[in-house]
Amino acid sequence: MSCQGPVCTNLGLKPGQRLTVKGIIAPNAKSFVMNLGKDSTHLGLHFNPRFDAHGDVNLIVCNSKKMEEWGTEQRETVFPFQKGAPIEITFSINPSDLTVHLPGHQFSFPNRLGLSVFDYFDTHGDFTLRSVSWE
Amino acid sequence: MSCQGPVCTNLGLKPGQRLTVKGIIAPNAKSFVMNLGKDSTHLGLHFNPRFDAHGDVNLIVCNSKKMEEWGTEQRETVFPFQKGAPIEITFSINPSDLTVHLPGHQFSFPNRLGLSVFDYFDTHGDFTLRSVSWE
């Protein structure tokens, strides 16, 4: 899974703010990723829906990464995604965690790196990013 | 005018595609900038509305930049901006120029650098970026 999508930096997202992402999942999607953090090597949230990848089927895997070191995976079984369909996902920044808002479901992921500002966002894999908005 | 806003890279915008930018102009705005190009040192379009800056009042100044070298300024007198108001601007990528769509007015600016892909976008100055979308 390569296909690096757009990268946003210097976002300045603080607790109380949120990022809304819209795009289209590829018709033959295996997996796609959205990363949120300080920069590409300090990821507060690596968000990875897997249709069929790394032995996982229809599962969301989340993790954090500091330099080359991954944290412990958090797995979500609710999988509200369809291949070839548009999707809107909102990430809310809270003081100690992030809330991930999906169609009909939300969950939270701890701010393990203790980031006070989320400046970095990128996507890659079987997903075409169409818009990014924050407030 | 410092206040660097978000930066987007790897956008992959080609002729036929367009970028729509939404945000809010500061109440005491003097000037703001949007840059579109290959990277921060190869700007196909430096778009700079000036309320009151560099001796210009209510004037849009556009230019191109290659490494440290600026091109010739193109000045637009139609100035559909209000301090403190939201704004939506669309940049259409064409083979030989860009069309800038403003409220009630549009103009074009030549693709002087001959860029086949516009990967880079940033904003700075008296403007708060809220969303970026492309299609």
Side-chain angles (χ1 to χ4, degrees):
Chain A
M1 176 183 53
S2 57
C3 191
Q4 168 72 52
V7 177
C8 294
T9 54
N10 206 47
L11 288 170
L13 291 170
K14 297 189 177 79
Q17 291 190 288
R18 55 186 182 179
L19 181 76
T20 297
V21 177
K22 295 178 186 172
I24 299 164
I25 299 170
N28 52 359
K30 297 279 188 202
S31 170
F32 64 93
V33 167
M34 295 182 186
N35 290 314
L36 253 164
K38 180 180 165 213
D39 52 45
S40 60
T41 62
H42 293 74
L43 302 180
L45 172 60
H46 168 81
F47 171 76
N48 177 201
R50 296 176 179 177
F51 287 91
D52 179 10
H54 307 291
D56 296 314
V57 174
N58 293 353
L59 189 80
I60 301 171
V61 173
C62 293
N63 207 338
S64 52
K65 188 176 180 186
K66 195 169 182 180
M67 301 312 281
E68 292 314 313
E69 212 183 309
W70 287 101
T72 308
E73 286 185 352
Q74 176 179 310
R75 292 164 165 256
E76 296 286 326
T77 53
V78 175
F79 194 80
F81 305 109
Q82 272 120 37
K83 297 180 184 183
I87 184 82
E88 176 172 328
I89 299 170
T90 295
F91 302 95
S92 300
I93 313 293
N94 310 310
S96 59
D97 63 22
L98 292 93
T99 307
V100 182
H101 305 266
L102 304 174
H105 178 64
Q106 70 178 51
F107 65 91
S108 60
F109 186 78
N111 182 0
R112 295 173 176 163
L113 273 63
L115 298 176
S116 54
V117 180
F118 284 73
D119 269 322
Y120 181 86
F121 173 74
D122 81 16
T123 66
H124 54 85
D126 307 323
F127 175 81
T128 302
L129 186 64
R130 280 284 176 249
S131 91
V132 181
S133 55
W134 47 95
E135 52 193 328
Chain B
M1 176 183 49
S2 57
C3 190
Q4 169 70 53
V7 177
C8 294
T9 54
N10 206 47
L11 288 170
L13 291 170
K14 297 191 176 82
Q17 291 189 288
R18 55 187 182 183
L19 180 75
T20 297
V21 178
K22 293 178 187 173
I24 299 164
I25 299 170
N28 52 0
K30 296 280 189 200
S31 170
F32 64 93
V33 168
M34 296 182 184
N35 290 313
L36 254 164
K38 181 180 166 214
D39 53 44
S40 59
T41 61
H42 293 74
L43 303 181
L45 172 61
H46 167 81
F47 171 78
N48 177 202
R50 297 177 179 176
F51 287 90
D52 178 9
H54 307 292
D56 296 314
V57 175
N58 294 353
L59 190 80
I60 302 170
V61 173
C62 293
N63 207 338
S64 52
K65 188 177 180 186
K66 194 168 184 179
M67 301 310 283
E68 293 313 313
E69 211 181 311
W70 287 100
T72 308
E73 285 184 354
Q74 175 179 310
R75 291 162 168 260
E76 297 287 325
T77 51
V78 176
F79 193 80
F81 306 110
Q82 272 119 42
K83 297 180 185 183
I87 183 83
E88 176 173 329
I89 298 170
T90 296
F91 301 95
S92 299
I93 313 292
N94 311 310
S96 58
D97 63 21
L98 292 93
T99 308
V100 181
H101 305 265
L102 303 174
H105 177 65
Q106 70 178 51
F107 66 90
S108 60
F109 187 79
N111 182 359
R112 294 173 177 164
L113 273 63
L115 298 176
S116 54
V117 180
F118 284 73
D119 270 322
Y120 179 87
F121 173 74
D122 81 15
T123 66
H124 54 85
D126 307 324
F127 174 81
T128 302
L129 185 64
R130 280 286 177 247
S131 90
V132 181
S133 56
W134 48 92
E135 49 192 335

